[in-house]
Amino acid sequence: MRRTQAEIYLENFRNNINQIKKQLKPGVKTCVAVKANAYGHGAVRISRECKELGVDFLAVAAVSEAEELRNNGVDLPILALSICSPAEIPELVKNKTIPLVCDAEFITLLDHILDSYTPEELENYHENKGRFTVHLAVDTGMGRIGCFPENALELAKLISGSKHLVLGGMCTHFAVSDSTQEFDREYTDRQFERFNFAVDSVKNAGINPGIRHCCASAALVDHPQWQMDMVRPGIIAYGYYADQINREYLASKGIEFNLKPVMALVSAVCAVRPFDKGMSVSYGHTWTAQKDTEIAVITAGYGDGLLRRFAPFIKASINSKEYTISGRICMDQCMIEIGKNNPDVKRWDKVVLFGPEESGALCDAQYLADKTGTISYEILTGITSRVPRVYL
């Protein structure tokens, strides 16, 4: 197996799911986001863990992600959070996946395509026998997908009057619920009010809105009164807080919520090379030895997700000692100055680039995100498919 690996600490994942469950009101379902290969952690194995932990639903983005789970024996209900194309509908049906719908054109098309299926083939959620369950997405201010709240009733009626569909749920997504700024909080309040308006308009017309869900990682903790019937944790399941809704902020509100990062990116020293004063390393010669020294070559690069912009900030740990990257990160390697005759660094020694404390890491994905102006999500999902996931 390749020396560069993503070590997945399953006990930390279990801790995070249990922390989430402690925040939930009785009867609230959990729908864990396993899209983008479970935020880089390996969708199949993480989904199996979810089932063991009593998670109720899984959420994917692409129909192909649902297909991978079904092909590997995952039988939890799966919700597809992106609008699928007409060409994907046969796979949607085959893989018992619940789609989002948000306009009359797509609802009508979907119902028409389902004419060719038997009731048994259509059943994609056990509570709706012989019908194809959909969730109605409502755009309350994200501006991405969803109907406007004032159109929700019209579409709910269209679903209820269709031949094959049943309204299994209604959902929305908050745009700035991960912010503690007052104007953002007011915006989120208005989003919730608009979602309630949409749900109430459907209920008051005598139509069951099904499972109501609006809270992702930030809101489920920060606004527990909004948990409704189901929550959709994403980044917090993998051990990172949702931007400003962090441990310190939650503690200030009297909420104990202790997450543990799940992934460590590790590699190895493949060579130790003597460098004379004045020698340069890597592309562009951005680093030159200021004295006689040695360079350790590490078998990880931006082709693995260790992006070039990380170079000044990585706190690489070799035998518990900190080293920085010298020069530019390459596609498949990076280099570290280790000093002359360093007894603590040998060929094939393990290098921990980021991860939880128990991995020996000296920084995590949030640290790198803060230093490089991005978010932990991007770093985790950016670990590429050639990096084996190893479960501990």
Side-chain angles (χ1 to χ4, degrees):
M1 184 178 287
R2 190 160 177 260
R3 302 288 291 188
T4 299
Q5 301 173 354
E7 295 181 344
I8 310 301
Y9 286 75
L10 291 175
E11 194 56 43
N12 288 5
F13 180 75
R14 296 172 191 131
N15 168 81
N16 300 337
I17 296 298
N18 287 330
Q19 287 287 303
I20 291 165
K21 284 180 170 287
K22 287 179 182 179
Q23 303 300 321
L24 302 184
K25 294 183 177 182
V28 175
K29 298 178 185 295
T30 52
C31 176
V32 173
V34 295
K35 59 183 180 173
N37 199 28
Y39 289 41
H41 294 69
V44 171
R45 184 59 183 273
I46 291 297
S47 296
R48 290 172 178 164
E49 288 295 323
C50 284
K51 182 169 183 178
E52 291 294 320
L53 292 165
V55 168
D56 302 285
F57 277 72
L58 303 171
V60 300
V63 177
S64 59
E65 294 175 329
E67 182 176 27
E68 179 190 22
L69 298 182
R70 294 300 189 222
N71 287 345
N72 284 278
V74 175
D75 59 1
L76 285 174
I78 299 175
L79 183 64
L81 298 178
S82 299
I83 302 299
C84 69
S85 71
E88 293 176 301
I89 290 174
E91 291 303 314
L92 195 75
V93 176
K94 176 185 174 184
N95 293 297
K96 306 292 184 186
T97 306
I98 301 167
L100 296 188
V101 298
C102 60
D103 60 72
E105 179 185 0
F106 185 74
I107 292 169
T108 302
L109 172 67
L110 179 60
D111 194 44
H112 174 70
I113 291 175
L114 297 181
D115 276 340
S116 60
Y117 292 88
T118 66
E120 292 72 26
E121 291 173 319
L122 291 181
E123 189 177 313
N124 60 349
Y125 184 50
H126 64 276
E127 291 186 6
N128 297 314
K129 300 295 183 184
R131 307 281 286 181
F132 194 72
T133 302
V134 299
H135 284 207
L136 179 61
V138 183
D139 178 13
T140 58
M142 183 70 177
R144 197 164 56 182
I145 60 172
C147 68
F148 293 122
E150 54 269 24
N151 301 130
L153 175 56
E154 171 192 351
L155 296 177
K157 287 180 177 178
L158 183 61
I159 293 166
S160 297
S162 67
K163 292 172 63 177
H164 307 293
L165 306 179
V166 61
L167 182 60
M170 293 180 66
C171 62
T172 196
H173 192 57
F174 297 131
V176 286
S177 61
D178 55 1
S179 171
T180 59
Q181 301 302 308
E182 190 58 36
F183 58 90
D184 286 334
R185 296 182 71 81
E186 291 173 357
Y187 189 88
T188 305
D189 288 342
R190 290 195 298 273
Q191 279 197 262
F192 185 66
E193 290 169 4
R194 286 169 61 78
F195 184 54
N196 272 324
F197 170 82
V199 171
D200 288 345
S201 70
V202 172
K203 288 172 62 177
N204 292 339
I207 300 172
N208 183 355
I211 298 169
R212 305 162 302 154
H213 49 109
C214 62
C215 290
S217 289
L220 77 85
V221 186
D222 197 25
H223 297 282
Q225 71 276 18
W226 296 355
Q227 290 174 359
M228 304 185 94
D229 302 313
M230 185 166 75
V231 295
R232 305 187 306 264
I235 193 65
I236 57 176
Y238 305 103
Y240 291 94
Y241 295 89
D243 199 7
Q244 296 175 25
I245 311 302
N246 54 31
R247 187 194 305 244
E248 293 73 26
Y249 167 78
L250 293 171
S252 73
K253 295 183 66 175
I255 300 172
E256 184 178 347
F257 192 58
N258 298 315
L259 301 177
K260 295 182 179 181
V262 177
M263 177 196 292
L265 181 64
V266 304
S267 190
V269 175
C270 69
V272 176
R273 308 189 63 235
F275 257 58
D276 295 335
K277 180 180 178 179
M279 291 178 65
S280 297
V281 71
S282 197
Y283 294 109
H285 286 177
T286 61
W287 182 91
T288 301
Q290 301 301 303
K291 59 185 178 181
D292 291 351
T293 188
E294 292 177 352
I295 288 288
V297 182
I298 313 302
T299 58
Y302 62 78
D304 304 296
L306 190 70
L307 302 182
R308 282 175 32 136
R309 66 176 181 267
F310 295 166
F313 309 111
I314 285 283
K315 295 181 178 181
S317 175
I318 306 175
N319 293 318
S320 301
K321 293 190 176 181
E322 180 181 329
Y323 300 89
T324 57
I325 290 175
S326 302
R328 289 178 177 161
I329 295 173
C330 306
M331 184 181 292
D332 311 303
Q333 291 97 24
C334 60
M335 282 64 69
I336 293 174
E337 182 187 12
I338 59 171
K340 199 169 182 65
N341 300 318
N342 185 342
D344 297 316
V345 180
K346 302 177 296 300
R347 191 177 220 172
W348 310 125
D349 276 352
K350 183 177 182 178
V351 182
V352 187
L353 297 163
F354 70 79
E357 289 183 5
E358 51 265 62
S359 70
L362 300 175
C363 65
D364 61 18
Q366 188 61 56
Y367 171 85
L368 291 178
D370 292 341
K371 290 294 186 180
T372 56
T374 186
I375 54 178
S376 57
Y377 309 63
E378 184 182 43
I379 293 170
L380 298 173
T381 60
I383 303 305
T384 63
S385 59
R386 78 175 183 182
V387 178
R389 273 61 175 175
V390 178
Y391 297 92
L392 304 177

